[in-house]
Amino acid sequence: MRFQRIAMENFKCYENADLTFDPGVTVIHGLNGSGKSSLLEACFFALYGSKAIDENLEDVVTIGADDCTVELWFAHAGGEYRLTRRVRNTGDRATTAKCVLETPEGTFEGARAVRRRVTELLRMDSEAFVNCAYVRQGEVNKLINASASDRQDMLDDLLQLGKLEEYRERASDARVGVKRVRDDKQSRLDQVDDQIDEKEEKGLHERLNALETELSETTAEIEHIENQRETASETLEQATAVLEEYEKRREQLSELTGDIDDLESEITETEREREQLKERISALKSERGELRGELDDTLAETDLDDADPDRVAARIEDLEDGAEDLRSRIERRKVEAQKHNSEAESLKAAAEDLASRAETKREEADALESELDDVRETVAERREKLADIDEQVETLEARFATGDIDREGAADHRDSVASDLETARQQVTELATKLESERDSLREAEALLEEGKCPECGQDVAESPHVDSIEDDRERVADLEDDLGTARERVETLESDLERAESLAAAADRLDTLESDRANVVQLIEEKESGLDADEARVEELREDAVELDAQAEAKREAASEAKQRAAEARSVIGECNQDHQEVKRSIQRLERIETLLDDIGDREDDIERLREKRSQQAEMNDQRRERLAEKRDRKRELADQVDEDRIEEAREEKQRASAYVEKAGAKLEDLREQRDKTQSAIGGVTNELEELETLRERREDLAETVSTLDALYEESEQLQEMYGSLRAELRQRNVETLERMLNETFSLVYQNDSYSHIELDGEYQLTVYQKDGDPLEPEQLSGGERALFNLSLRCAIYRLLAEGIEGAAPMPPLILDEPTVFLDSGHVTQLLDLIAYMRDEVGVAQILVVSHDEELVGAADDLVRVEKSATSNRSHVSRVERIEETVAELAD
């Protein structure tokens, strides 16, 4: 990059300045405070705007002015650029009124767009520009005083290594994001496992079976009690009838009847229980039969000959091993399909990008071709306008060719005639006034004469000596009337002459205008026609580029199609494996069901045997009760034979017992019905929980598959992060080695003292200066002059590293040194001159700008610019010194 020209208006101390920069070393010389640094600040401000200044935006506008303008012309990478910034300071605060960057590729408008484009062109923002190419006044120790980490960040940004750190951080963010999602999915998976374990621990199937059994028993008990209550009601009616007749007899038989009733009740209750046990045994047998039937059906669906538990368990283990092999194969194929899909998407995106670029090229070519048609049409219109102008010029020039007034004298002739007309009009006015006065005097004289008085003195006519003078007055009036008529004719003649003169003057003015218009039209035609060939060539080039890009896009699409086909093949294999896996899974489920059925059948047989024993025990107990009951009844009959009232007592007791049973049965039935409703509700709840358990199992399978995929993606992100970190470290080490070598070369060139052996720069950009005896020193321990030389050496080494590059040269901005001689003695100023010459001649820096008040630097200039400030206006002015040798001699004297 090379500055070509800077133009300023109302920028800081400059009211108006325009300076051209040439290649080589340009020294901007002047007294302190003359405004030298402001020239460089204007260039820096033009490139980066408000980012380039430490003060507020309104401070760049000259005091008393409403706005300022800075224009910078520069060349970069073979192209010509022009940058214009205008700041308006008329409101509450200063604002950027205009910011335009004209480039070979097009025009960029707006402060942000321009700053972004400049940063892209130079590959550095404003801070990187200062750290690399612009050594500003007062910042001599900036890099030295910076911490190692800050210095590392500065140099990494300059060398574009910050991008790798940005990519590494993006990969880290992606890894963290994947981990966050994976942990969330794993947490959900754990929650689902806990929910499944919680539900499985409840023994839902056993609870359901128990509840269904309980419901069956409750329903049977309700029916039994209802029957018993109906029987008790009948007994109550009968007892009531008997008590009406035999009430007294039942008093004696009351106790015996109570015993009999107790025994009968116990027998009845036990028989009811035995009946329930019988029904339960029957139900268990039925369930066992159903389970055996299901076992036979399930066994028929397997490849086993019998339901031997050991063979079933061994077969399940074999099938689970096969399922695990299928899952591993599916995972491998999924990774392969994902890889091919990613490749296809990448190729598809590249093809779409190439196609988009080709379409853009075609649209640009169409637009340029349309512009060419407009230009040709404009040229044709201008040629028609030129012919029309020529025709008008010829007509107007013919008017002057036939007259006695030439074109150059038309305006003077018009002015002369206008002056004569004005004189004539004044004469007419004067004559008319004088005539009116004379007429008034004549009328008064004639009136006095009619009264017999003298027109002059007012005496009687006989006594007046002036009566004859009235005739003289009449003659003067007549003469004045003749003169006035002649003057008015003169005015009319001159008015006609003025009209013709004004017409000729207008024709002369029109000729001037037409000739100016003709020159402009000719110039416009030439300008329009000059660019037609280049634009036509550009159209052809754009169309050829579009064809090439379309071909590349088609190649990308074919490659993407092949990748899609490979992904489809992988998915096909996955589908086959999934089918096999599902079949194995169903086989395992059938075998597990066989194990469950074998356990259930064993449980049923144990329950049947236990209930049979209990029912047998109850039968023996009832036999004993019946024997006692027979004894009680025999005793009761004996009492009934002995006492007639026994029958009455028996009837009373039967009534009481029947009434109590009916009441008790009603309450019992209410409790049993409530218990039945609760049992039915509980069955519904268990059924819902079983359905939820199945849903949870399906959800767990999906979550487990997602967690497995995220684990693989997390590992890929981690590997990508490590790759960017390793690449950045490798490139940084290469830069450190090159920068250390260049720093030592530059420092040994500019530093005369023999006290130091070399400078070391480690991988963390920590700087150490070694003395001849090997003792290390921090850069901060150097003297002020040594630090200044150290900083200049470091800046120039950084500039060399960026300019020469690790793998090839890169376009760089000018090397700018603002007051570099601060803290330097005369001897080291000479070394600074050698450094400037070295950077120009050996390193090949195209343009070096040096601002200094030091006269010793003038001799290093290929181009010398002097800056002076007016003591009266306090405004700075720049001037180029043409004879540098004479100026150097004068400064030496």
Side-chain angles (χ1 to χ4, degrees):
M1 177 191 180
R2 181 173 62 83
F3 292 161
Q4 295 175 317
R5 177 186 170 196
I6 183 74
M8 298 175 288
E9 183 178 348
N10 295 329
F11 182 83
K12 290 194 172 182
C13 56
Y14 288 93
E15 182 176 9
N16 204 323
D18 195 328
L19 178 63
T20 301
F21 296 104
D22 294 328
V25 179
T26 298
V27 175
I28 303 173
H29 182 265
L31 299 176
N32 285 333
S34 60
K36 306 182 298 299
S37 297
S38 295
L39 273 175
L40 300 181
E41 291 174 359
C43 298
F44 194 30
F45 174 73
L47 288 173
Y48 294 103
S50 60
K51 297 293 184 181
I53 57 176
D54 297 328
E55 58 269 359
N56 295 324
L57 194 60
E58 54 265 20
D59 294 331
V60 303
V61 183
T62 301
I63 296 175
D66 292 335
D67 57 15
C68 82
T69 302
V70 178
E71 293 184 89
L72 177 66
W73 289 260
F74 63 92
H76 178 74
E80 301 287 333
Y81 298 80
R82 179 181 179 183
L83 207 166
T84 303
R85 287 185 187 270
R86 182 157 58 91
V87 176
R88 186 179 300 279
N89 189 25
T90 56
D92 295 335
R93 63 185 183 89
T95 58
T96 300
K98 178 181 180 182
C99 186
V100 178
L101 173 62
E102 300 176 16
T103 74
E105 301 86 18
T107 300
F108 296 83
E109 297 185 6
R112 291 185 180 178
V114 169
R115 184 164 58 247
R116 183 166 53 249
R117 183 54 182 158
V118 168
T119 301
E120 292 172 354
L121 287 172
L122 303 185
R123 296 192 296 186
M124 57 180 71
D125 57 14
S126 59
E127 183 177 359
F129 189 92
V130 170
N131 290 332
C132 170
Y134 187 9
V135 184
R136 293 200 290 190
Q137 182 177 355
E139 295 185 354
V140 66
N141 294 324
K142 180 177 180 181
L143 281 176
I144 296 177
N145 294 334
S147 66
S149 60
D150 291 340
R151 191 182 304 117
Q152 182 185 84
D153 292 339
M154 293 177 190
L155 296 179
D156 280 354
D157 288 342
L158 288 171
L159 296 167
Q160 302 295 309
L161 296 184
K163 288 293 184 182
L164 291 176
E165 178 61 17
E166 180 183 344
Y167 296 153
R168 190 190 69 79
E169 290 177 355
R170 288 182 183 176
S172 176
D173 292 341
R175 179 182 61 81
V176 172
V178 171
K179 183 177 182 301
R180 188 185 306 113
V181 176
R182 183 196 64 184
D183 292 345
D184 178 65
K185 295 295 184 181
Q186 184 63 52
S187 175
R188 295 184 184 181
L189 179 60
D190 294 341
Q191 292 176 0
V192 171
D193 285 336
D194 293 342
Q195 293 173 1
I196 291 174
D197 293 341
E198 181 182 354
K199 290 187 179 297
E200 288 179 344
E201 288 174 359
K202 292 180 180 180
L204 296 176
H205 290 288
E206 290 76 4
R207 284 181 58 195
L208 180 62
N209 292 334
L211 288 169
E212 289 176 346
T213 300
E214 181 180 350
L215 178 63
S216 176
E217 292 175 352
T218 302
T219 302
E221 186 175 359
I222 290 172
E223 293 176 354
H224 174 73
I225 292 176
E226 286 177 344
N227 293 332
Q228 291 293 95
R229 185 176 65 174
E230 184 177 353
T231 302
S233 297
E234 294 175 356
T235 301
L236 179 61
E237 293 176 359
Q238 294 173 1
T240 300
V242 170
L243 285 175
E244 291 177 355
E245 296 181 3
Y246 304 105
E247 184 176 354
K248 292 182 181 181
R249 298 179 193 176
R250 294 182 57 187
E251 293 178 358
Q252 296 179 356
L253 299 176
S254 176
E255 182 178 355
L256 186 60
T257 302
D259 294 339
I260 292 173
D261 290 341
D262 291 340
L263 287 172
E264 288 178 346
S265 177
E266 290 175 357
I267 292 171
T268 302
E269 181 66 23
T270 301
E271 286 299 324
R272 185 185 64 77
E273 291 179 359
R274 289 186 75 246
E275 187 65 26
Q276 290 177 351
L277 289 175
K278 180 179 179 181
E279 293 175 356
R280 179 57 183 158
I281 291 171
S282 177
L284 287 172
K285 289 180 179 180
S286 177
E287 290 177 6
R288 182 182 61 184
E290 293 175 357
L291 290 172
R292 285 176 176 172
E294 184 180 354
L295 176 62
D296 293 339
D297 294 340
T298 305
L299 186 64
E301 296 176 359
T302 67
D303 54 357
L304 296 176
D305 296 332
D306 54 36
D308 181 75
D310 294 336
R311 293 185 61 189
V312 171
R315 182 56 179 159
I316 289 175
E317 184 176 355
D318 293 341
L319 289 174
E320 287 179 343
D321 292 340
E324 181 63 28
D325 292 339
L326 286 172
R327 284 193 293 270
S328 299
R329 186 180 177 191
I330 289 170
E331 289 300 322
R332 291 195 299 272
R333 289 297 183 174
K334 284 183 177 179
V335 172
E336 181 180 348
Q338 185 177 8
K339 176 182 176 183
H340 291 315
N341 269 334
S342 299
E343 180 183 357
E345 292 298 326
S346 176
L347 290 169
K348 181 180 178 183
E352 292 176 352
D353 179 62
L354 289 169
S356 175
R357 288 168 55 193
E359 183 62 25
T360 301
K361 293 282 187 181
R362 281 191 291 271
E363 291 176 355
E364 186 178 350
D366 294 340
L368 186 55
E369 196 165 22
S370 176
E371 290 177 4
L372 284 173
D373 293 339
D374 294 340
V375 169
R376 294 188 186 99
E377 184 178 349
T378 301
V379 169
E381 293 174 353
R382 291 294 182 268
R383 291 194 180 281
E384 292 177 1
K385 184 176 180 180
L386 184 62
D388 182 55
I389 290 173
D390 290 339
E391 183 179 350
Q392 294 182 48
V393 169
E394 182 178 356
T395 301
L396 292 172
E397 286 180 342
R399 292 183 61 184
F400 290 102
T402 58
D404 55 350
I405 304 301
D406 60 9
R407 179 178 162 188
E408 289 74 16
D412 293 338
H413 176 65
R414 178 195 61 196
D415 295 341
S416 175
V417 172
S419 178
D420 292 344
L421 177 60
E422 182 63 26
T423 302
R425 285 173 176 168
Q426 290 178 357
Q427 184 180 4
V428 168
T429 301
E430 292 172 356
L431 288 171
T433 302
K434 187 175 181 180
L435 176 60
E436 187 63 28
S437 177
E438 291 294 335
R439 283 175 175 169
D440 290 341
S441 298
L442 180 59
R443 282 194 294 271
E444 291 177 1
E446 288 176 345
L448 288 172
L449 186 60
E450 289 178 359
E451 293 176 358
K453 298 183 180 295
C454 175
E456 290 189 10
C457 61
Q459 300 178 3
D460 292 335
V461 174
E463 301 173 356
S464 174
H466 305 295
V467 174
D468 295 334
S469 64
I470 193 170
E471 291 298 330
D472 296 333
D473 293 338
R474 290 191 179 103
E475 289 177 1
R476 283 196 303 273
V477 169
D479 292 338
L480 286 172
E481 288 176 346
D482 293 339
D483 292 341
L484 180 59
T486 302
R488 283 175 173 165
E489 291 176 357
R490 171 68 174 163
V491 167
E492 292 176 355
T493 301
L494 287 173
E495 286 177 344
S496 177
D497 292 343
L498 179 60
E499 184 177 351
R500 289 193 297 273
E502 286 178 341
S503 176
L504 288 173
D509 292 340
R510 179 58 178 163
L511 274 172
D512 293 338
T513 302
L514 289 172
E515 288 175 349
S516 176
D517 292 346
R518 188 181 190 282
N520 291 334
V521 171
V522 170
Q523 181 181 359
L524 180 60
I525 291 173
E526 292 173 352
E527 290 176 353
K528 293 292 185 181
E529 290 180 339
S530 63
L532 287 176
D533 294 338
D535 289 342
E536 290 173 352
R538 177 61 177 163
V539 169
E540 184 64 25
E541 179 185 354
L542 288 171
R543 296 198 185 281
E544 291 175 356
D545 291 346
V547 172
E548 177 65 22
L549 289 171
D550 283 334
Q552 295 176 14
E554 184 59 30
K556 294 288 185 183
R557 292 191 189 96
E558 293 177 358
S561 177
E562 293 175 358
K564 280 287 187 182
Q565 180 62 31
R566 291 193 293 272
E569 293 173 356
R571 286 194 296 271
S572 176
V573 173
I574 291 172
E576 296 174 359
C577 291
N578 278 327
Q579 292 178 357
D580 295 341
H581 183 266
Q582 291 297 323
E583 182 59 34
V584 170
K585 185 177 178 181
R586 286 191 292 272
S587 298
I588 292 173
Q589 291 174 347
R590 285 192 291 268
L591 291 172
E592 289 176 344
R593 180 58 181 164
I594 288 174
E595 288 184 328
T596 302
L597 290 171
L598 289 172
D599 293 340
D600 291 344
I601 290 171
D603 293 341
R604 300 299 186 278
E605 290 177 346
D606 292 342
D607 291 343
I608 290 171
E609 185 62 27
R610 177 177 54 79
L611 293 176
R612 281 175 177 170
E613 291 178 359
K614 184 177 181 180
R615 191 166 184 272
S616 176
Q617 292 173 356
Q618 289 177 339
E620 293 177 358
M621 188 179 299
N622 263 1
D623 289 341
Q624 295 174 359
R625 289 172 179 163
R626 287 190 183 93
E627 290 177 357
R628 293 198 304 274
L629 179 61
E631 293 175 356
K632 295 286 185 180
R633 286 174 176 171
D634 291 340
R635 180 60 181 165
K636 180 181 178 182
R637 281 194 294 272
E638 291 176 358
L639 290 174
D641 292 340
Q642 295 175 1
V643 180
D644 294 337
E645 287 81 7
D646 290 343
R647 179 56 184 161
I648 298 173
E649 184 65 23
E650 182 180 355
R652 185 180 293 114
E653 291 176 356
E654 286 180 358
K655 177 183 177 183
Q656 183 179 0
R657 185 173 62 252
S659 177
Y661 184 82
V662 169
E663 182 178 354
K664 181 179 178 181
K668 182 66 174 177
L669 283 174
E670 184 177 350
D671 294 339
L672 288 174
R673 290 190 181 104
E674 181 178 355
Q675 179 181 351
R676 180 186 62 187
D677 295 340
K678 289 181 179 179
T679 303
Q680 290 175 340
S681 177
I683 290 173
V686 172
T687 302
N688 291 336
E689 285 198 79
L690 286 171
E691 293 175 355
E692 291 175 0
L693 177 61
E694 186 61 28
T695 301
L696 286 172
R697 286 171 176 162
E698 294 175 358
R699 184 181 176 191
R700 186 201 179 284
E701 185 176 349
D702 294 339
L703 285 171
E705 182 177 354
T706 301
V707 169
S708 176
T709 302
L710 289 171
D711 284 337
L713 186 58
Y714 177 83
E715 183 177 353
E716 291 178 3
S717 301
E718 195 170 33
Q719 293 173 354
L720 186 62
Q721 179 184 354
E722 293 175 356
M723 182 197 70
Y724 282 129
S726 301
L727 180 60
R728 183 189 183 200
E730 179 183 350
L731 291 176
R732 179 187 293 161
Q733 184 60 37
R734 293 171 62 188
N735 291 330
V736 166
E737 294 171 356
T738 305
L739 182 59
E740 182 184 55
R741 174 179 56 80
M742 293 180 175
L743 175 57
N744 279 282
E745 291 175 358
T746 308
F747 189 68
S748 63
L749 175 68
V750 299
Y751 189 58
Q752 294 178 339
N753 198 324
D754 197 29
S755 301
Y756 306 110
S757 63
H758 68 283
I759 302 171
E760 183 179 278
L761 179 66
D762 64 17
E764 301 300 325
Y765 293 96
Q766 183 68 42
L767 288 163
T768 307
V769 181
Y770 285 90
Q771 302 181 86
K772 285 295 185 181
D773 58 6
D775 291 338
L777 288 176
E778 295 297 327
E780 294 83 354
Q781 296 176 278
L782 301 177
S783 66
E786 288 173 337
R787 285 201 305 273
L789 290 173
F790 186 89
N791 178 69
L792 289 172
S793 301
L794 180 58
R795 291 297 187 94
C796 291
I798 292 172
Y799 189 94
R800 282 184 60 193
L801 177 63
L802 293 177
E804 296 176 11
I806 299 299
E807 297 178 350
M812 292 291 292
L815 179 59
I816 303 174
L817 305 177
D818 190 357
E819 294 291 359
T821 61
V822 177
F823 305 119
L824 297 183
D825 55 27
S826 178
H828 284 106
V829 170
T830 303
Q831 296 301 110
L832 177 60
L833 295 177
D834 293 340
L835 175 60
I836 293 173
Y838 172 76
M839 294 297 291
R840 177 190 61 194
D841 301 332
E842 300 298 328
V843 179
V845 180
Q847 190 176 52
I848 301 176
L849 305 179
V850 183
V851 168
S852 179
H853 66 281
D854 199 317
E855 298 172 352
E856 293 185 56
L857 291 182
V858 174
D862 298 320
D863 195 21
L864 180 60
V865 175
R866 188 184 302 280
V867 179
E868 297 176 331
K869 180 175 284 189
S870 172
T872 56
S873 64
N874 202 31
R875 294 289 180 264
S876 297
H877 305 278
V878 296
S879 59
R880 187 179 302 279
V881 178
E882 301 297 339
R883 299 180 179 179
I884 301 177
E885 296 79 3
E886 296 179 4
T887 302
V888 172
E890 292 175 2
L891 293 173
D893 293 340

